[in-house]
């Protein structure tokens, strides 16, 4: 496939205390670009795939920083809108607790219908369960994109309890997931939404999805493709900060599948990119080496040779 992967969602600025500090004690904060769909677009571009991002930023220095980061990563940013009144959303990573989001009334939450030109040369769309939780406008946008038939769609569940309760999110995310071609979910979030206990349970909830990927932290990731099941164990990594790892996994998996690689290779590619992000403070990090990609593609020496 040679067309763009279009990632649609809210771009964010991430503020992170230096290693070993919590927010109460930090005198400085590291500034980075984040947001689930931004992370996937950057990961795809790092792997050489044509990636496009559509979203909404504020007319502020943080918005300009996001544009600069995406441009540097060679992501197509022609369809990023600037809101003259609403601010760019941001969040703070707190090593002593959960992330703290400041996105109410953000520019990203006001994202509405995309112009038809944004879909030109696109053959795959990547969405997450964060966007429909942000606002009515965002939920309507996601619904309208799922109604289109000219490209395949991947959907990362990305359940965020801070945005909406499980009782509200569960039926909406289930309906969207059932309409996607590729679905990513963590077993923990699937358990919170649909009271499942293992990957096979998730498959029972989503039996018709063509490719269903279930991640389980340091345990195997599983992909169901029609009647097939493939499990791949991730390499052991030292975790510095986990935010963004799931997005990196999605980027690695999608890149491998778009290049025609098999299910096991795609899982290994996802694990590889996720492991790199786990070892850094930012939501994305440097791309894998050619040697690492070869190991992921072939499986020779996986995971001990990494």
């Amino acid at each position: 496939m040679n067309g763009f992967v279009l990632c649609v969602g809210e771009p964010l600025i991430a503020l992170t205390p230096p290693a070993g500090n919590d927010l109460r004690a930090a005198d400085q904060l590291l500034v980075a670009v984040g947001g689930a769909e931004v992370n996937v677009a950057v990961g795809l571009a790092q792997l050489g795939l044509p990636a496009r991002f559509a979203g909404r930023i504020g007319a502020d220095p943080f918005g300009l920083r996001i544009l600069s980061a995406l441009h540097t990563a060679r992501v197509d940013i022609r369809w990023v809108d600037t809101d003259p009144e609403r601010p760019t959303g941001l969040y703070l990573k707190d090593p002593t607790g959960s992330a703290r989001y400041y996105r109410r009334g953000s520019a990203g939450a006001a994202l509405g219908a995309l112009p038809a030109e944004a879909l030109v040369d696109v053959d795959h769309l990547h969405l997450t369960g964060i966007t429909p939780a942000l606002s009515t406008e965002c939920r309507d946008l996601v619904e309208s994109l799922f109604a289109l038939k000219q490209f395949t769609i991947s959907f990362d569940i990305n359940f965020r309890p801070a945005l909406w309760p499980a009782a509200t999110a569960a039926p909406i995310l289930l309906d969207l997931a059932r309409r996607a071609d590729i679905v990513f979910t963590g077993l923990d979030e699937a358990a919170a939404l649909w009271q499942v206990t293992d990957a096979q349970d998730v498959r029972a909830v989503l039996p018709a999805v063509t490719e269903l990927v279930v991640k389980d932290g340091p345990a195997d990731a599983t992909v169901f493709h029609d009647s097939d099941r493939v499990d791949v164990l991730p390499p052991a990594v030292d975790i510095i900060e986990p935010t963004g790892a799931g997005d990196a996994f999605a980027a690695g998996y999608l890149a491998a599948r778009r290049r025609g690689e098999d299910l096991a290779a795609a899982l290994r590619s996802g694990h590889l990119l996720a492991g790199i992000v786990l070892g850094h403070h930012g939501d994305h990090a440097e791309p894998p080496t050619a040697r690492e990609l070869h190991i992921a593609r072939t499986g020779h020496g996986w995971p001990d040779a990494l």
Side-chain angles (χ1 to χ4, degrees), residues 87-127:
T88 302
L90 62 87
Y91 72 102
L92 289 86
K93 299 179 182 180
D94 188 353
T96 64
S98 58
R100 302 175 184 275
Y101 289 90
Y102 295 83
R103 68 203 314 177
R104 186 178 305 232
S106 72
L111 182 62
L114 300 182
E117 294 81 1
L119 303 175
V120 173
D121 297 325
V122 170
D123 61 26
H124 185 86
L125 176 67
H126 181 74
L127 299 166

Side-chain angles (χ1 to χ4, degrees), residues 31-266:
V31 182
V33 171
E37 301 84 4
V38 165
N39 296 339
V40 173
V42 169
L44 289 169
Q46 285 180 331
L47 294 175
L49 275 75
R52 176 178 294 169
F53 176 77
R56 197 167 176 83
I57 57 171
D60 49 41
F62 282 156
L64 292 175
R65 188 177 185 122
I66 289 169
L67 287 179
S68 177
L70 288 168
H71 177 73
T72 299
R74 299 186 179 181
V75 174
D76 181 358
I77 54 174
R78 288 175 292 170
W79 308 109
V80 179
D81 285 339
T82 300
D83 191 312
E85 298 180 356
R86 294 170 177 257
T88 302
L90 62 87
Y91 72 102
L92 289 86
K93 299 179 182 180
D94 188 353
T96 64
S98 58
R100 302 175 184 275
Y101 289 90
Y102 295 83
R103 68 203 314 177
R104 186 178 305 232
S106 72
L111 182 62
L114 300 182
E117 294 81 1
L119 303 175
V120 173
D121 297 325
V122 170
D123 61 26
H124 185 86
L125 176 67
H126 181 74
L127 299 166
T128 81
I130 296 172
T131 307
L134 295 176
S135 66
T136 301
E137 299 100 312
C138 286
R139 191 175 304 175
D140 290 344
L141 169 62
V142 171
E143 287 286 348
S144 70
L145 292 172
F146 265 97
L148 300 176
K149 303 297 183 183
Q150 68 261 43
F151 35 62
T152 54
I153 297 178
S154 53
F155 183 65
D156 194 331
I157 296 298
N158 260 330
F159 170 52
R160 295 291 188 267
L163 292 176
W164 51 355
T168 301
I172 296 172
L173 295 178
L174 182 60
D175 176 64
L176 294 173
R178 285 174 171 167
R179 289 186 269 163
D181 301 284
I182 302 173
V183 173
F184 300 95
T185 186
L187 182 58
D188 56 347
E189 61 188 346
L193 290 167
W194 306 309
Q195 294 75 55
V196 296
T197 58
D198 57 28
Q200 197 65 51
D201 288 344
V202 182
R203 186 52 163 171
V205 172
L206 294 165
V209 172
T210 303
E211 292 184 36
L212 171 63
V213 181
V214 183
K215 301 163 292 178
D216 190 14
D220 285 354
T222 301
V223 58
F224 298 92
H225 184 278
D226 295 330
S227 61
D228 296 329
R229 170 176 175 159
V230 177
D231 301 272
V232 171
L233 185 71
V237 296
D238 294 326
I239 299 176
I240 292 178
E241 205 280 312
T243 306
D247 308 322
F249 184 102
Y253 183 94
L254 289 173
R257 291 299 282 157
R258 288 181 65 77
R259 286 178 168 148
E261 297 173 22
D262 64 26
L263 299 173

